[in-house]
Amino acid sequence: MDGWEQFYNIVTGEVESVPDYDNDYVDMGEFGETAEKIEESDDYIRLPSQYELHEYNIMEWFAEEKGNTVLMRALHGRQPYRTFKDRTIDLDLDQEYYAFRTKAYGEIAREWCRENGIPFIEER
């Protein structure tokens, strides 16, 4: 979520959320206890933010895999996210793209778990 940070507790497996310190829409006082608990403990690992997930790269990988110049051009103009998604709809590739994106996010999650020594079970 934009304006929030999520932390994974490696002991309990729970996720705690606190607003970013520069989030003007939330009273930090309500979350002070949680933020302090996270800051003082080694049990928490910050989850990647939406900006660290790089959806732009995923769109680029999809366009390259498809060898589709229309999709590649969509990424290099104004409003690349909106234009890319509009082009996937125009080309009847939107559902395929969303499946591709889900698979990419799964790989990102697996890699994050490996990097942080967190065991995981893959469900098919």
Side-chain angles (χ1 to χ4, degrees), residues 61-118:
W61 299 332
F62 181 76
E64 289 171 0
E65 182 178 283
K66 289 291 175 193
N68 193 302
T69 56
V70 171
L71 293 177
M72 287 302 290
R73 277 195 306 266
L75 292 171
H76 297 289
R78 291 190 71 220
Q79 299 181 323
Y81 292 90
R82 174 80 266 147
T83 305
F84 180 87
K85 290 176 182 178
D86 288 346
R87 294 301 82 79
T88 63
I89 292 168
D90 295 344
L91 297 166
D92 200 28
L93 293 172
D94 54 319
Q95 294 307 309
E96 193 173 339
Y97 168 68
Y98 291 122
F100 182 91
R101 184 180 71 176
T102 298
K103 185 177 176 184
Y105 282 149
E107 184 51 42
I108 291 167
R110 286 188 290 280
E111 184 59 31
W112 182 87
C113 287
R114 285 185 202 105
E115 288 174 1
N116 289 285
I118 298 171

Side-chain angles (χ1 to χ4, degrees), residues 45 49 90:
I45 301 172
S49 72
D90 295 344

Side-chain angles (χ1 to χ4, degrees), residues 18-87:
V18 293
D20 288 338
Y21 286 103
D22 60 350
N23 187 332
D24 296 330
Y25 301 103
V26 178
D27 177 13
M28 271 305 288
E30 295 178 41
F31 298 93
E33 187 177 314
T34 302
E36 189 174 311
K37 176 177 69 172
I38 290 168
E39 193 172 306
E40 292 177 357
S41 174
D42 292 332
D43 295 344
Y44 291 92
I45 301 172
R46 190 178 67 76
L47 291 167
S49 72
Q50 67 185 23
Y51 303 107
E52 294 167 303
L53 295 178
H54 304 294
E55 185 174 358
Y56 184 92
N57 291 346
I58 295 170
M59 293 186 299
E60 198 169 46
W61 299 332
F62 181 76
E64 289 171 0
E65 182 178 283
K66 289 291 175 193
N68 193 302
T69 56
V70 171
L71 293 177
M72 287 302 290
R73 277 195 306 266
L75 292 171
H76 297 289
R78 291 190 71 220
Q79 299 181 323
Y81 292 90
R82 174 80 266 147
T83 305
F84 180 87
K85 290 176 182 178
D86 288 346
R87 294 301 82 79

